[in-house]
Amino acid sequence: MSETLRPFPEAAHEALENAQLRANLRRATDTIREKRARVVRELPDWEALREAGRALKADVLANLERYLLAFEAAVTAAGGQVHWAADAAEANAIVLAIARAHAVSELVKVKSLTTDEIGLNEALEQGGVHAVETDLAELILQLDGDWSSHILVPAIHRNRTEIRDIFRATIADPSLSDDPAELAEAARRYLRERFLTARMAVSGANFGVAETGTVCVVESEGNGRMCTTLPDVLVTIMGIEKLIPSFADLEVFLQLLPRSATGERMNPYTSLWTGVTPGDGPQEFHVVLLDAGRTRVLADEVGRQALHCIRCSACLNVCPVYSRTGGHAYGSVYPGPIGAILTPQLLGIEHAPTLPFASSLCGACYEVCPVKIDIPSVLVHLRGEAVAAAGRPPERAAMRALEWAFAGPRRFRVAQALGRFAQRPFARGGVIGRLPPPLSAWTRSRDLRALAPETFRQWWERRP
Ligand code: SF4
């Protein structure tokens, strides 16, 4: 995540032409959305839990330095080693150096957005170390040379037949069917061998507990548990915002996360580890604490709430934009509403100026967010920054003209009369379907309601 992203409208246009993608997305997001709504309704204190999650995250961000130092001290006291990485290159170099120190040429990985964000697999490959993704969906994408389009269901854009073809071409024989049990078995056979021979694993972290130095990873398949227990060396890459103050606070997040993510009451696998335990699990443990733009996000009082995110993906599943375009249109590992506010801040608004506009501002994302991130407000804030950064003379001129017209009743009446006159060649049946440039940018994808033949004031004045 470093270069300037492709404009969202352009990428979205391409995605919208893929009917298969839209059908896959609709099926998957509809199912998860309904499951989530059902299990959330079961909890009478859901709103209190959300507020607790929000307050805990806000506390961590307000006192980040203190919590980070406490976490470092606790990890070190428990036999772990802590590394600090200012950016992706530093984090990747640390992991590669650890692999080289142990003469490792292949390692296993737990699904992790943070490692995708920093391009860890590619950096390791260049350094002669192959990283094997062990999450089923991540494995499918890795075998196909594809990348994730959903935070939680990375291969949401692939259906069974496509997966069968990918497996046939890579890890299974041509007799493999598209039966889900057979597909899972093929992946299991392939991965089991990797788990049993791997000497090093890399994970991300859902939460890091400042009080105890504990790392928590939640998952559904058990592959993560294999990675965090079988190899001799374990490296965890964790964004500095992933901390929570105390072990007891997990009680809040372990209720919020599974319900919001997969619509389950609890995760099938919740792994917790603290440093090194002699004779049990990895005997060497490293944590890489990653900044990579996060302190810049923290400096923005409105935008910093994006760092509260616990990556549940509930906002993706309710978003009318995401559910039609899918994740690839967002151009980063963080798609959907959270991607629209996090990516421009991590990269700098000049590198992703169209993402804050990839929203209808309907507010559905805010309503489902388990840590109450006010995504619409951050979107509006970032839109302001994007316009200011780009200059956009036509938009500024239009806003100035509107400001002038709204400043007095006479001006407003004149503007309305001029508007009604100007729309004559374009208005049909109360709707304007096509306008000349630069206004065509609006009508290219939606209609504009024409000005009414009579204003409310005119109607009021001519009443008997
Ligand atoms: S912004 Fe909220 S709803 Fe979206 S992924 Fe993050 S925590 Fe979940």
Side-chain angles (χ1 to χ4, degrees):
M1 296 224 315
S2 56
E3 75 293 4
T4 297
L5 300 184
R6 188 179 175 200
F8 181 82
E10 198 181 299
H13 201 74
E14 211 167 84
L16 287 170
E17 282 168 9
N18 185 341
Q20 178 69 59
L21 171 75
R22 285 212 310 279
N24 293 358
L25 280 169
R26 179 176 299 247
R27 205 173 313 117
T29 53
D30 280 0
T31 311
I32 306 174
R33 207 169 50 227
E34 279 158 26
K35 275 178 77 182
R36 177 208 163 268
R38 221 175 16 248
V39 294
V40 162
R41 272 199 301 272
E42 291 173 357
L43 289 186
D45 62 345
W46 180 252
E47 284 309 313
L49 271 173
R50 285 179 80 208
E51 179 51 31
R54 188 207 60 77
L56 285 165
K57 281 291 185 178
D59 173 39
V60 166
L61 293 184
N63 301 285
L64 191 57
E65 186 181 342
R66 174 160 62 80
Y67 285 122
L68 280 169
L69 293 176
F71 181 74
E72 180 184 37
V75 171
T76 310
Q81 299 174 47
V82 177
H83 309 258
W84 298 82
D87 55 26
E90 272 188 34
N92 291 336
I94 291 166
V95 182
L96 188 58
I98 297 169
R100 283 186 174 150
H102 291 274
V104 163
S105 59
E106 183 174 286
L107 53 82
V108 285
K109 262 189 74 203
V110 188
K111 175 180 177 301
S112 153
L113 277 169
T114 311
T115 59
D116 293 345
E117 175 193 327
I118 61 175
L120 178 69
N121 290 9
E122 295 75 14
L124 287 176
E125 207 70 53
Q126 279 173 12
V129 178
H130 179 57
V132 179
E133 293 290 352
T134 64
D135 174 84
L136 179 56
E138 290 285 354
L139 175 68
I140 292 164
L141 299 179
Q142 186 176 44
L143 292 173
D144 194 34
D146 195 359
W147 55 292
S148 168
S149 64
H150 188 280
I151 289 178
L152 210 74
V153 199
I156 198 168
H157 56 292
R158 296 280 180 210
N159 61 24
R160 277 195 278 153
T161 319
E162 291 172 305
I163 294 166
R164 180 204 60 195
D165 293 343
I166 294 166
F167 279 8
R168 277 183 182 176
T170 50
I171 60 167
D173 59 52
S175 63
L176 183 73
S177 80
D178 64 0
D179 174 46
E182 262 197 52
L183 294 173
E185 184 56 27
R188 193 176 292 124
R189 269 202 304 271
Y190 172 77
L191 287 174
R192 188 59 56 128
E193 217 177 294
R194 266 82 205 161
F195 287 133
L196 294 175
T197 52
R199 290 186 296 118
M200 177 170 164
V202 173
S203 83
N206 288 99
F207 307 104
V209 182
E211 174 192 43
T212 57
T214 304
V215 175
C216 174
V217 164
V218 296
E219 41 136 1
S220 301
E221 297 169 12
N223 62 299
R225 178 75 56 85
M226 296 280 212
C227 293
T228 57
T229 52
L230 289 175
D232 301 325
V233 182
L234 173 60
V235 182
T236 296
I237 303 184
M238 188 172 104
I240 52 175
E241 82 284 15
K242 293 290 181 70
L243 289 180
I244 58 171
S246 72
F247 199 84
D249 299 328
L250 281 170
E251 177 191 346
V252 173
F253 293 104
L254 292 181
Q255 291 186 75
L256 288 172
L257 181 55
R259 282 184 156 82
S260 302
T262 46
E264 292 167 307
R265 294 183 185 95
M266 66 183 289
N267 284 93
Y269 295 88
T270 300
S271 298
L272 298 156
W273 65 97
T274 309
V276 172
T277 306
D280 183 13
Q283 294 302 291
E284 191 175 314
F285 171 54
H286 301 260
V287 185
V288 181
L289 291 170
L290 176 75
D291 183 338
R294 285 155 175 79
T295 43
R296 184 174 50 207
V297 183
L298 189 61
D300 184 325
E301 280 182 22
V302 180
R304 74 167 60 139
Q305 51 183 312
L307 296 176
H308 292 190
C309 177
I310 58 172
R311 313 280 189 263
C312 72
S313 76
C315 58
L316 277 64
N317 300 327
V318 297
C319 177
V321 177
Y322 173 86
S323 62
R324 282 158 185 84
T325 64
H328 288 172
Y330 293 80
S332 99
V333 298
Y334 301 113
I338 181 60
I341 61 169
L342 188 58
T343 307
Q345 295 194 83
L346 287 176
L347 295 183
I349 191 76
E350 65 282 10
H351 293 297
T354 56
L355 280 184
F357 297 88
S359 168
S360 63
L361 296 180
C362 67
C365 48
Y366 181 32
E367 278 171 30
V368 296
C369 180
V371 284
K372 294 174 86 170
I373 301 174
D374 186 354
I375 296 176
S377 295
V378 182
L379 284 168
V380 172
H381 170 67
L382 293 175
R383 286 179 186 191
E385 283 193 356
V387 171
R392 297 211 196 186
E395 203 164 325
R396 278 171 183 275
M399 288 299 158
R400 266 201 291 271
L402 279 176
E403 186 188 10
W404 179 86
F406 283 133
R410 268 177 64 85
R411 292 176 187 184
F412 188 59
R413 270 200 296 275
V414 171
Q416 281 178 319
L418 283 174
R420 265 198 299 280
F421 178 75
Q423 74 179 8
R424 272 193 204 158
F426 310 103
R428 300 274 179 282
V431 168
I432 299 172
R434 203 153 44 88
L435 281 170
L439 300 172
S440 56
W442 177 274
T443 52
R444 201 176 301 135
S445 50
R446 58 257 211 235
D447 291 338
L448 189 65
R449 183 161 289 282
L451 290 173
E454 185 179 44
T455 67
F456 174 78
R457 281 168 190 271
Q458 287 167 336
W459 170 80
W460 186 262
E461 278 159 14
R462 72 174 172 76
R463 276 183 329 142

